[in-house]
Amino acid sequence: MPHAVRPRSLPRPGPVPAPRARAPRVRSLIDADALSVLHRAARILLDDLPRLSDQLVALLQEQEPAYRSAIENDATEIWQEVHRSLRHSIASLLDPRGVRDAARRCSWKIGVTRAEQGLPLDALLHAFRLGGSLVWQSLVEETSRAAPEDVRLLVHVASDVWNFVDEHCTVVADSYRQTERQLAWRRENRVRLLAAALLDGTSRIADLPEAALALDLPEHGRYVVVAVAGGFAACPGAQAVLAPGVRVHWHTGVDTDHGIVRVSDDTEPVVADEQPPGVRVGVSSAVEGLAAVGEARRLADTALSLCPETGGTVRLTEHLPAALVVSSPDLGAALADRLFGPLARLEPADAEVLLDTLATWLACDGSAQRASRRLYCHRNTVLNRLRRYEQLTGRSLSRPFDLVEVTLALTARRLLPR
């Protein structure tokens, strides 16, 4: 009986290895023939580049209205731009890798230049597509003239032409939009610098016409400045600070925003009567011309400093005595010390009662009866406290000069830091 022959190892079940794929050929024979036809026609077009440039400029003038004025203004520049673009486009068909970077730089520069000149992006993209169509049409026409039987081969390389057009439309659109963003930033920054110079009072006379144009404000108009604390002007509801229909140019700052408002007269309402809770607003008096906006800003800041922390609106023209005090804080403090220094010999609570009574009496227009009702005391008590103040300080509240000094001193005590 013959012995069974066993294999040394049994095959193990498992996935069948996939056959190794053959390396694909870069181009089929048809593709090689098509490339030969393409290159032959492209070389002819390079030699005929001036005529193609003339033809594309004529197409742009006929089919793209946005280019007409550009051609009328500088036909030579447009022709040279078209010539460079077509040269790179056709050369890329002969040497895609060698020409690619230079072609992209050319298209990028065109996008930058046209964005700076304000040519619409749609018109620029249309020009690139017209150029691509002209190159393709010229390739077909040249091949039909030299070897009609080879025209069909161009179908295999049509994507090379249109891929170039698509790629460079993307390049030119990217450069256009980037330049547009940069230009917008420069314009906004220039407007901000011009407005800041006006508000700081450092604007040169020679810059006033540019500032007027940039801010859309007349150079010789009548203006007030509105100061808003806490950055409220940068919020969407900033217009609520102003009266209805008031046009303003806002300039935002770190702690305070300023609005330049043109007015026709001093009685024109600029700021709304009611403000949102906590919003502090100061309004300057009117000044003549943009050159005086810096002074108006200083006055608006002064008015804002008079506004209580709880919020509200202070119009400088309605608080001129208080503005005088805060404008010269050293003098205000000296006046308060002169008028109230003698009270320092009293107990602090006693001195506070006298000063509170004095301030209330003045707020009630010198009526002891009305002041007593506010202070919840008898009328005679008010009069006794006023006489005591006069005795301690040597001042007479019936003397107009002394009364003015007392009023300013109380204002200084209320507004200035102690």
Side-chain angles (χ1 to χ4, degrees), residues 147-181:
E149 67 280 3
D150 291 339
V151 171
R152 58 185 177 79
L153 293 174
L154 289 178
V155 174
H156 298 279
V157 291
S159 61
D160 293 344
V161 176
W162 295 109
N163 285 342
F164 179 91
V165 174
D166 289 342
E167 177 186 358
H168 284 259
C169 279
T170 301
V171 170
V172 79
D174 289 345
S175 69
Y176 186 100
R177 293 189 181 104
Q178 179 174 315
T179 303
E180 201 172 38
R181 288 192 294 270

PDB file of all heavy atoms in Angstrom, residues 147-181:
ATOM      1  N   ALA A 147      -3.713  71.849 -40.257  1.00  0.00           N
ATOM      2  CA  ALA A 147      -3.960  70.391 -40.343  1.00  0.00           C
ATOM      3  C   ALA A 147      -5.376  70.122 -39.891  1.00  0.00           C
ATOM      4  O   ALA A 147      -5.607  69.783 -38.722  1.00  0.00           O
ATOM      5  CB  ALA A 147      -2.953  69.628 -39.486  1.00  0.00           C
ATOM      6  N   PRO A 148      -6.357  70.285 -40.773  1.00  0.00           N
ATOM      7  CA  PRO A 148      -7.766  70.125 -40.382  1.00  0.00           C
ATOM      8  C   PRO A 148      -8.072  68.795 -39.721  1.00  0.00           C
ATOM      9  O   PRO A 148      -8.930  68.713 -38.845  1.00  0.00           O
ATOM     10  CB  PRO A 148      -8.516  70.302 -41.700  1.00  0.00           C
ATOM     11  CG  PRO A 148      -7.580  71.058 -42.586  1.00  0.00           C
ATOM     12  CD  PRO A 148      -6.204  70.639 -42.199  1.00  0.00           C
ATOM     13  N   GLU A 149      -7.350  67.747 -40.151  1.00  0.00           N
ATOM     14  CA  GLU A 149      -7.646  66.423 -39.604  1.00  0.00           C
ATOM     15  C   GLU A 149      -7.242  66.285 -38.139  1.00  0.00           C
ATOM     16  O   GLU A 149      -7.666  65.345 -37.446  1.00  0.00           O
ATOM     17  CB  GLU A 149      -6.926  65.343 -40.423  1.00  0.00           C
ATOM     18  CG  GLU A 149      -5.409  65.345 -40.320  1.00  0.00           C
ATOM     19  CD  GLU A 149      -4.744  66.418 -41.212  1.00  0.00           C
ATOM     20  OE1 GLU A 149      -5.483  67.183 -41.867  1.00  0.00           O
ATOM     21  OE2 GLU A 149      -3.508  66.468 -41.228  1.00  0.00           O
ATOM     22  N   ASP A 150      -6.428  67.243 -37.642  1.00  0.00           N
ATOM     23  CA  ASP A 150      -5.976  67.158 -36.248  1.00  0.00           C
ATOM     24  C   ASP A 150      -6.862  67.932 -35.270  1.00  0.00           C
ATOM     25  O   ASP A 150      -6.614  67.907 -34.055  1.00  0.00           O
ATOM     26  CB  ASP A 150      -4.545  67.698 -36.137  1.00  0.00           C
ATOM     27  CG  ASP A 150      -3.532  66.785 -36.811  1.00  0.00           C
ATOM     28  OD1 ASP A 150      -3.855  65.599 -36.989  1.00  0.00           O
ATOM     29  OD2 ASP A 150      -2.427  67.266 -37.150  1.00  0.00           O
ATOM     30  N   VAL A 151      -7.860  68.623 -35.806  1.00  0.00           N
ATOM     31  CA  VAL A 151      -8.696  69.436 -34.921  1.00  0.00           C
ATOM     32  C   VAL A 151      -9.352  68.575 -33.842  1.00  0.00           C
ATOM     33  O   VAL A 151      -9.472  68.977 -32.679  1.00  0.00           O
ATOM     34  CB  VAL A 151      -9.758  70.198 -35.731  1.00  0.00           C
ATOM     35  CG1 VAL A 151     -10.762  70.879 -34.806  1.00  0.00           C
ATOM     36  CG2 VAL A 151      -9.103  71.235 -36.618  1.00  0.00           C
ATOM     37  N   ARG A 152      -9.756  67.363 -34.243  1.00  0.00           N
ATOM     38  CA  ARG A 152     -10.451  66.495 -33.284  1.00  0.00           C
ATOM     39  C   ARG A 152      -9.576  66.140 -32.086  1.00  0.00           C
ATOM     40  O   ARG A 152     -10.066  65.839 -30.997  1.00  0.00           O
ATOM     41  CB  ARG A 152     -10.901  65.207 -33.992  1.00  0.00           C
ATOM     42  CG  ARG A 152      -9.752  64.441 -34.610  1.00  0.00           C
ATOM     43  CD  ARG A 152     -10.196  63.235 -35.413  1.00  0.00           C
ATOM     44  NE  ARG A 152      -9.080  62.564 -36.045  1.00  0.00           N
ATOM     45  CZ  ARG A 152      -8.247  61.726 -35.418  1.00  0.00           C
ATOM     46  NH1 ARG A 152      -8.439  61.461 -34.134  1.00  0.00           N
ATOM     47  NH2 ARG A 152      -7.249  61.166 -36.071  1.00  0.00           N
ATOM     48  N   LEU A 153      -8.226  66.167 -32.301  1.00  0.00           N
ATOM     49  CA  LEU A 153      -7.334  65.818 -31.195  1.00  0.00           C
ATOM     50  C   LEU A 153      -7.312  66.887 -30.096  1.00  0.00           C
ATOM     51  O   LEU A 153      -6.944  66.606 -28.948  1.00  0.00           O
ATOM     52  CB  LEU A 153      -5.909  65.609 -31.730  1.00  0.00           C
ATOM     53  CG  LEU A 153      -5.718  64.400 -32.650  1.00  0.00           C
ATOM     54  CD1 LEU A 153      -4.319  64.397 -33.231  1.00  0.00           C
ATOM     55  CD2 LEU A 153      -5.975  63.101 -31.890  1.00  0.00           C
ATOM     56  N   LEU A 154      -7.675  68.115 -30.449  1.00  0.00           N
ATOM     57  CA  LEU A 154      -7.639  69.180 -29.457  1.00  0.00           C
ATOM     58  C   LEU A 154      -8.616  68.937 -28.314  1.00  0.00           C
ATOM     59  O   LEU A 154      -8.459  69.501 -27.221  1.00  0.00           O
ATOM     60  CB  LEU A 154      -7.943  70.528 -30.115  1.00  0.00           C
ATOM     61  CG  LEU A 154      -6.854  71.103 -31.029  1.00  0.00           C
ATOM     62  CD1 LEU A 154      -7.325  72.403 -31.647  1.00  0.00           C
ATOM     63  CD2 LEU A 154      -5.563  71.327 -30.250  1.00  0.00           C
ATOM     64  N   VAL A 155      -9.640  68.119 -28.588  1.00  0.00           N
ATOM     65  CA  VAL A 155     -10.612  67.824 -27.528  1.00  0.00           C
ATOM     66  C   VAL A 155      -9.918  67.217 -26.309  1.00  0.00           C
ATOM     67  O   VAL A 155     -10.302  67.456 -25.163  1.00  0.00           O
ATOM     68  CB  VAL A 155     -11.701  66.872 -28.056  1.00  0.00           C
ATOM     69  CG1 VAL A 155     -12.628  66.444 -26.932  1.00  0.00           C
ATOM     70  CG2 VAL A 155     -12.475  67.531 -29.174  1.00  0.00           C
ATOM     71  N   HIS A 156      -8.853  66.447 -26.559  1.00  0.00           N
ATOM     72  CA  HIS A 156      -8.166  65.760 -25.463  1.00  0.00           C
ATOM     73  C   HIS A 156      -7.331  66.701 -24.598  1.00  0.00           C
ATOM     74  O   HIS A 156      -6.894  66.301 -23.511  1.00  0.00           O
ATOM     75  CB  HIS A 156      -7.266  64.663 -26.042  1.00  0.00           C
ATOM     76  CG  HIS A 156      -8.031  63.604 -26.791  1.00  0.00           C
ATOM     77  ND1 HIS A 156      -8.685  62.566 -26.175  1.00  0.00           N
ATOM     78  CD2 HIS A 156      -8.260  63.470 -28.126  1.00  0.00           C
ATOM     79  CE1 HIS A 156      -9.283  61.808 -27.098  1.00  0.00           C
ATOM     80  NE2 HIS A 156      -9.035  62.343 -28.292  1.00  0.00           N
ATOM     81  N   VAL A 157      -7.083  67.903 -25.077  1.00  0.00           N
ATOM     82  CA  VAL A 157      -6.281  68.848 -24.285  1.00  0.00           C
ATOM     83  C   VAL A 157      -7.066  70.120 -23.950  1.00  0.00           C
ATOM     84  O   VAL A 157      -6.493  71.091 -23.451  1.00  0.00           O
ATOM     85  CB  VAL A 157      -4.980  69.222 -25.035  1.00  0.00           C
ATOM     86  CG1 VAL A 157      -4.038  68.023 -25.108  1.00  0.00           C
ATOM     87  CG2 VAL A 157      -5.292  69.759 -26.424  1.00  0.00           C
ATOM     88  N   ALA A 158      -8.354  70.099 -24.226  1.00  0.00           N
ATOM     89  CA  ALA A 158      -9.170  71.288 -23.930  1.00  0.00           C
ATOM     90  C   ALA A 158      -9.133  71.630 -22.441  1.00  0.00           C
ATOM     91  O   ALA A 158      -9.140  72.807 -22.055  1.00  0.00           O
ATOM     92  CB  ALA A 158     -10.605  71.055 -24.386  1.00  0.00           C
ATOM     93  N   SER A 159      -9.056  70.583 -21.604  1.00  0.00           N
ATOM     94  CA  SER A 159      -9.047  70.847 -20.161  1.00  0.00           C
ATOM     95  C   SER A 159      -7.813  71.637 -19.743  1.00  0.00           C
ATOM     96  O   SER A 159      -7.854  72.391 -18.768  1.00  0.00           O
ATOM     97  CB  SER A 159      -9.105  69.530 -19.389  1.00  0.00           C
ATOM     98  OG  SER A 159      -7.978  68.713 -19.696  1.00  0.00           O
ATOM     99  N   ASP A 160      -6.686  71.460 -20.484  1.00  0.00           N
ATOM    100  CA  ASP A 160      -5.491  72.225 -20.139  1.00  0.00           C
ATOM    101  C   ASP A 160      -5.742  73.728 -20.261  1.00  0.00           C
ATOM    102  O   ASP A 160      -5.282  74.518 -19.424  1.00  0.00           O
ATOM    103  CB  ASP A 160      -4.321  71.831 -21.055  1.00  0.00           C
ATOM    104  CG  ASP A 160      -3.863  70.402 -20.818  1.00  0.00           C
ATOM    105  OD1 ASP A 160      -4.237  69.837 -19.771  1.00  0.00           O
ATOM    106  OD2 ASP A 160      -3.153  69.857 -21.670  1.00  0.00           O
ATOM    107  N   VAL A 161      -6.464  74.113 -21.299  1.00  0.00           N
ATOM    108  CA  VAL A 161      -6.761  75.529 -21.510  1.00  0.00           C
ATOM    109  C   VAL A 161      -7.703  76.044 -20.436  1.00  0.00           C
ATOM    110  O   VAL A 161      -7.457  77.068 -19.801  1.00  0.00           O
ATOM    111  CB  VAL A 161      -7.363  75.754 -22.909  1.00  0.00           C
ATOM    112  CG1 VAL A 161      -7.755  77.214 -23.094  1.00  0.00           C
ATOM    113  CG2 VAL A 161      -6.378  75.315 -23.982  1.00  0.00           C
ATOM    114  N   TRP A 162      -8.793  75.325 -20.201  1.00  0.00           N
ATOM    115  CA  TRP A 162      -9.816  75.818 -19.286  1.00  0.00           C
ATOM    116  C   TRP A 162      -9.427  75.670 -17.827  1.00  0.00           C
ATOM    117  O   TRP A 162      -9.871  76.458 -16.978  1.00  0.00           O
ATOM    118  CB  TRP A 162     -11.151  75.137 -19.580  1.00  0.00           C
ATOM    119  CG  TRP A 162     -11.636  75.526 -20.939  1.00  0.00           C
ATOM    120  CD1 TRP A 162     -11.704  74.759 -22.046  1.00  0.00           C
ATOM    121  CD2 TRP A 162     -12.070  76.837 -21.324  1.00  0.00           C
ATOM    122  NE1 TRP A 162     -12.153  75.493 -23.116  1.00  0.00           N
ATOM    123  CE2 TRP A 162     -12.393  76.767 -22.706  1.00  0.00           C
ATOM    124  CE3 TRP A 162     -12.201  78.046 -20.665  1.00  0.00           C
ATOM    125  CZ2 TRP A 162     -12.838  77.865 -23.419  1.00  0.00           C
ATOM    126  CZ3 TRP A 162     -12.649  79.144 -21.369  1.00  0.00           C
ATOM    127  CH2 TRP A 162     -12.960  79.058 -22.728  1.00  0.00           C
ATOM    128  N   ASN A 163      -8.569  74.690 -17.522  1.00  0.00           N
ATOM    129  CA  ASN A 163      -8.051  74.613 -16.154  1.00  0.00           C
ATOM    130  C   ASN A 163      -7.185  75.833 -15.828  1.00  0.00           C
ATOM    131  O   ASN A 163      -7.204  76.353 -14.708  1.00  0.00           O
ATOM    132  CB  ASN A 163      -7.229  73.338 -15.962  1.00  0.00           C
ATOM    133  CG  ASN A 163      -8.113  72.105 -15.845  1.00  0.00           C
ATOM    134  OD1 ASN A 163      -9.310  72.223 -15.586  1.00  0.00           O
ATOM    135  ND2 ASN A 163      -7.534  70.933 -16.050  1.00  0.00           N
ATOM    136  N   PHE A 164      -6.411  76.273 -16.828  1.00  0.00           N
ATOM    137  CA  PHE A 164      -5.607  77.479 -16.632  1.00  0.00           C
ATOM    138  C   PHE A 164      -6.513  78.680 -16.375  1.00  0.00           C
ATOM    139  O   PHE A 164      -6.249  79.485 -15.468  1.00  0.00           O
ATOM    140  CB  PHE A 164      -4.735  77.720 -17.874  1.00  0.00           C
ATOM    141  CG  PHE A 164      -3.886  78.958 -17.771  1.00  0.00           C
ATOM    142  CD1 PHE A 164      -2.606  78.896 -17.256  1.00  0.00           C
ATOM    143  CD2 PHE A 164      -4.370  80.196 -18.181  1.00  0.00           C
ATOM    144  CE1 PHE A 164      -1.817  80.043 -17.148  1.00  0.00           C
ATOM    145  CE2 PHE A 164      -3.595  81.341 -18.076  1.00  0.00           C
ATOM    146  CZ  PHE A 164      -2.315  81.268 -17.561  1.00  0.00           C
ATOM    147  N   VAL A 165      -7.578  78.808 -17.165  1.00  0.00           N
ATOM    148  CA  VAL A 165      -8.494  79.930 -16.991  1.00  0.00           C
ATOM    149  C   VAL A 165      -9.131  79.895 -15.604  1.00  0.00           C
ATOM    150  O   VAL A 165      -9.191  80.908 -14.892  1.00  0.00           O
ATOM    151  CB  VAL A 165      -9.572  79.927 -18.086  1.00  0.00           C
ATOM    152  CG1 VAL A 165     -10.627  81.010 -17.818  1.00  0.00           C
ATOM    153  CG2 VAL A 165      -8.944  80.136 -19.449  1.00  0.00           C
ATOM    154  N   ASP A 166      -9.607  78.717 -15.182  1.00  0.00           N
ATOM    155  CA  ASP A 166     -10.239  78.603 -13.865  1.00  0.00           C
ATOM    156  C   ASP A 166      -9.260  78.915 -12.744  1.00  0.00           C
ATOM    157  O   ASP A 166      -9.597  79.619 -11.768  1.00  0.00           O
ATOM    158  CB  ASP A 166     -10.798  77.184 -13.676  1.00  0.00           C
ATOM    159  CG  ASP A 166     -12.013  76.920 -14.544  1.00  0.00           C
ATOM    160  OD1 ASP A 166     -12.615  77.902 -15.022  1.00  0.00           O
ATOM    161  OD2 ASP A 166     -12.355  75.744 -14.756  1.00  0.00           O
ATOM    162  N   GLU A 167      -8.043  78.386 -12.859  1.00  0.00           N
ATOM    163  CA  GLU A 167      -7.043  78.628 -11.819  1.00  0.00           C
ATOM    164  C   GLU A 167      -6.747  80.112 -11.686  1.00  0.00           C
ATOM    165  O   GLU A 167      -6.674  80.658 -10.571  1.00  0.00           O
ATOM    166  CB  GLU A 167      -5.750  77.875 -12.146  1.00  0.00           C
ATOM    167  CG  GLU A 167      -4.637  78.129 -11.141  1.00  0.00           C
ATOM    168  CD  GLU A 167      -3.314  77.506 -11.555  1.00  0.00           C
ATOM    169  OE1 GLU A 167      -3.261  76.837 -12.616  1.00  0.00           O
ATOM    170  OE2 GLU A 167      -2.325  77.712 -10.829  1.00  0.00           O
ATOM    171  N   HIS A 168      -6.607  80.787 -12.806  1.00  0.00           N
ATOM    172  CA  HIS A 168      -6.217  82.189 -12.745  1.00  0.00           C
ATOM    173  C   HIS A 168      -7.397  83.104 -12.433  1.00  0.00           C
ATOM    174  O   HIS A 168      -7.188  84.210 -11.924  1.00  0.00           O
ATOM    175  CB  HIS A 168      -5.504  82.587 -14.035  1.00  0.00           C
ATOM    176  CG  HIS A 168      -4.102  82.060 -14.071  1.00  0.00           C
ATOM    177  ND1 HIS A 168      -3.011  82.834 -13.790  1.00  0.00           N
ATOM    178  CD2 HIS A 168      -3.618  80.795 -14.282  1.00  0.00           C
ATOM    179  CE1 HIS A 168      -1.920  82.100 -13.861  1.00  0.00           C
ATOM    180  NE2 HIS A 168      -2.260  80.854 -14.153  1.00  0.00           N
ATOM    181  N   CYS A 169      -8.600  82.665 -12.694  1.00  0.00           N
ATOM    182  CA  CYS A 169      -9.758  83.409 -12.195  1.00  0.00           C
ATOM    183  C   CYS A 169      -9.767  83.383 -10.672  1.00  0.00           C
ATOM    184  O   CYS A 169     -10.085  84.390 -10.020  1.00  0.00           O
ATOM    185  CB  CYS A 169     -11.056  82.812 -12.750  1.00  0.00           C
ATOM    186  SG  CYS A 169     -11.444  83.344 -14.436  1.00  0.00           S
ATOM    187  N   THR A 170      -9.403  82.234 -10.093  1.00  0.00           N
ATOM    188  CA  THR A 170      -9.317  82.133  -8.635  1.00  0.00           C
ATOM    189  C   THR A 170      -8.206  83.016  -8.090  1.00  0.00           C
ATOM    190  O   THR A 170      -8.381  83.723  -7.083  1.00  0.00           O
ATOM    191  CB  THR A 170      -9.072  80.668  -8.226  1.00  0.00           C
ATOM    192  OG1 THR A 170     -10.148  79.850  -8.704  1.00  0.00           O
ATOM    193  CG2 THR A 170      -8.974  80.544  -6.714  1.00  0.00           C
ATOM    194  N   VAL A 171      -7.051  82.991  -8.762  1.00  0.00           N
ATOM    195  CA  VAL A 171      -5.919  83.814  -8.324  1.00  0.00           C
ATOM    196  C   VAL A 171      -6.280  85.288  -8.349  1.00  0.00           C
ATOM    197  O   VAL A 171      -6.039  86.028  -7.387  1.00  0.00           O
ATOM    198  CB  VAL A 171      -4.677  83.547  -9.206  1.00  0.00           C
ATOM    199  CG1 VAL A 171      -3.573  84.577  -8.914  1.00  0.00           C
ATOM    200  CG2 VAL A 171      -4.155  82.147  -8.980  1.00  0.00           C
ATOM    201  N   VAL A 172      -6.854  85.737  -9.459  1.00  0.00           N
ATOM    202  CA  VAL A 172      -7.149  87.162  -9.600  1.00  0.00           C
ATOM    203  C   VAL A 172      -8.252  87.586  -8.625  1.00  0.00           C
ATOM    204  O   VAL A 172      -8.229  88.690  -8.082  1.00  0.00           O
ATOM    205  CB  VAL A 172      -7.519  87.496 -11.062  1.00  0.00           C
ATOM    206  CG1 VAL A 172      -8.948  87.111 -11.382  1.00  0.00           C
ATOM    207  CG2 VAL A 172      -7.317  88.973 -11.346  1.00  0.00           C
ATOM    208  N   ALA A 173      -9.219  86.685  -8.358  1.00  0.00           N
ATOM    209  CA  ALA A 173     -10.276  87.004  -7.401  1.00  0.00           C
ATOM    210  C   ALA A 173      -9.712  87.111  -5.983  1.00  0.00           C
ATOM    211  O   ALA A 173     -10.083  88.010  -5.214  1.00  0.00           O
ATOM    212  CB  ALA A 173     -11.373  85.947  -7.453  1.00  0.00           C
ATOM    213  N   ASP A 174      -8.790  86.211  -5.634  1.00  0.00           N
ATOM    214  CA  ASP A 174      -8.173  86.259  -4.299  1.00  0.00           C
ATOM    215  C   ASP A 174      -7.372  87.540  -4.109  1.00  0.00           C
ATOM    216  O   ASP A 174      -7.468  88.202  -3.065  1.00  0.00           O
ATOM    217  CB  ASP A 174      -7.265  85.043  -4.094  1.00  0.00           C
ATOM    218  CG  ASP A 174      -8.050  83.751  -3.925  1.00  0.00           C
ATOM    219  OD1 ASP A 174      -9.267  83.833  -3.677  1.00  0.00           O
ATOM    220  OD2 ASP A 174      -7.434  82.674  -4.040  1.00  0.00           O
ATOM    221  N   SER A 175      -6.569  87.887  -5.118  1.00  0.00           N
ATOM    222  CA  SER A 175      -5.754  89.100  -4.987  1.00  0.00           C
ATOM    223  C   SER A 175      -6.631  90.351  -4.955  1.00  0.00           C
ATOM    224  O   SER A 175      -6.355  91.300  -4.216  1.00  0.00           O
ATOM    225  CB  SER A 175      -4.753  89.190  -6.136  1.00  0.00           C
ATOM    226  OG  SER A 175      -5.402  89.437  -7.371  1.00  0.00           O
ATOM    227  N   TYR A 176      -7.704  90.347  -5.740  1.00  0.00           N
ATOM    228  CA  TYR A 176      -8.630  91.486  -5.777  1.00  0.00           C
ATOM    229  C   TYR A 176      -9.274  91.685  -4.404  1.00  0.00           C
ATOM    230  O   TYR A 176      -9.288  92.796  -3.872  1.00  0.00           O
ATOM    231  CB  TYR A 176      -9.702  91.232  -6.831  1.00  0.00           C
ATOM    232  CG  TYR A 176     -10.632  92.395  -7.080  1.00  0.00           C
ATOM    233  CD1 TYR A 176     -10.457  93.237  -8.169  1.00  0.00           C
ATOM    234  CD2 TYR A 176     -11.706  92.643  -6.237  1.00  0.00           C
ATOM    235  CE1 TYR A 176     -11.314  94.306  -8.411  1.00  0.00           C
ATOM    236  CE2 TYR A 176     -12.568  93.706  -6.456  1.00  0.00           C
ATOM    237  CZ  TYR A 176     -12.371  94.530  -7.550  1.00  0.00           C
ATOM    238  OH  TYR A 176     -13.227  95.581  -7.766  1.00  0.00           O
ATOM    239  N   ARG A 177      -9.794  90.586  -3.823  1.00  0.00           N
ATOM    240  CA  ARG A 177     -10.488  90.708  -2.537  1.00  0.00           C
ATOM    241  C   ARG A 177      -9.523  91.075  -1.424  1.00  0.00           C
ATOM    242  O   ARG A 177      -9.876  91.859  -0.527  1.00  0.00           O
ATOM    243  CB  ARG A 177     -11.204  89.393  -2.219  1.00  0.00           C
ATOM    244  CG  ARG A 177     -12.359  89.085  -3.176  1.00  0.00           C
ATOM    245  CD  ARG A 177     -13.175  87.901  -2.699  1.00  0.00           C
ATOM    246  NE  ARG A 177     -14.261  87.597  -3.615  1.00  0.00           N
ATOM    247  CZ  ARG A 177     -14.258  86.584  -4.483  1.00  0.00           C
ATOM    248  NH1 ARG A 177     -13.209  85.762  -4.544  1.00  0.00           N
ATOM    249  NH2 ARG A 177     -15.285  86.383  -5.289  1.00  0.00           N
ATOM    250  N   GLN A 178      -8.312  90.526  -1.461  1.00  0.00           N
ATOM    251  CA  GLN A 178      -7.332  90.881  -0.427  1.00  0.00           C
ATOM    252  C   GLN A 178      -6.971  92.357  -0.525  1.00  0.00           C
ATOM    253  O   GLN A 178      -6.903  93.060   0.491  1.00  0.00           O
ATOM    254  CB  GLN A 178      -6.078  90.032  -0.592  1.00  0.00           C
ATOM    255  CG  GLN A 178      -4.988  90.359   0.426  1.00  0.00           C
ATOM    256  CD  GLN A 178      -3.812  89.416   0.338  1.00  0.00           C
ATOM    257  OE1 GLN A 178      -3.972  88.207   0.233  1.00  0.00           O
ATOM    258  NE2 GLN A 178      -2.602  89.958   0.353  1.00  0.00           N
ATOM    259  N   THR A 179      -6.767  92.829  -1.744  1.00  0.00           N
ATOM    260  CA  THR A 179      -6.450  94.254  -1.935  1.00  0.00           C
ATOM    261  C   THR A 179      -7.623  95.125  -1.519  1.00  0.00           C
ATOM    262  O   THR A 179      -7.439  96.188  -0.911  1.00  0.00           O
ATOM    263  CB  THR A 179      -6.097  94.521  -3.409  1.00  0.00           C
ATOM    264  OG1 THR A 179      -5.016  93.677  -3.798  1.00  0.00           O
ATOM    265  CG2 THR A 179      -5.719  95.973  -3.630  1.00  0.00           C
ATOM    266  N   GLU A 180      -8.835  94.681  -1.833  1.00  0.00           N
ATOM    267  CA  GLU A 180     -10.028  95.434  -1.459  1.00  0.00           C
ATOM    268  C   GLU A 180     -10.116  95.565   0.060  1.00  0.00           C
ATOM    269  O   GLU A 180     -10.453  96.641   0.584  1.00  0.00           O
ATOM    270  CB  GLU A 180     -11.261  94.723  -2.024  1.00  0.00           C
ATOM    271  CG  GLU A 180     -12.479  95.582  -2.172  1.00  0.00           C
ATOM    272  CD  GLU A 180     -13.590  94.864  -2.910  1.00  0.00           C
ATOM    273  OE1 GLU A 180     -13.764  93.644  -2.704  1.00  0.00           O
ATOM    274  OE2 GLU A 180     -14.302  95.515  -3.690  1.00  0.00           O
ATOM    275  N   ARG A 181      -9.818  94.486   0.783  1.00  0.00           N
ATOM    276  CA  ARG A 181      -9.834  94.536   2.247  1.00  0.00           C
ATOM    277  C   ARG A 181      -8.762  95.493   2.768  1.00  0.00           C
ATOM    278  O   ARG A 181      -8.998  96.256   3.711  1.00  0.00           O
ATOM    279  CB  ARG A 181      -9.621  93.137   2.834  1.00  0.00           C
ATOM    280  CG  ARG A 181     -10.820  92.208   2.673  1.00  0.00           C
ATOM    281  CD  ARG A 181     -10.655  90.967   3.535  1.00  0.00           C
ATOM    282  NE  ARG A 181      -9.549  90.153   3.087  1.00  0.00           N
ATOM    283  CZ  ARG A 181      -9.622  89.185   2.192  1.00  0.00           C
ATOM    284  NH1 ARG A 181     -10.786  88.905   1.625  1.00  0.00           N
ATOM    285  NH2 ARG A 181      -8.559  88.477   1.846  1.00  0.00           N
TER     286      ARG A 181
END
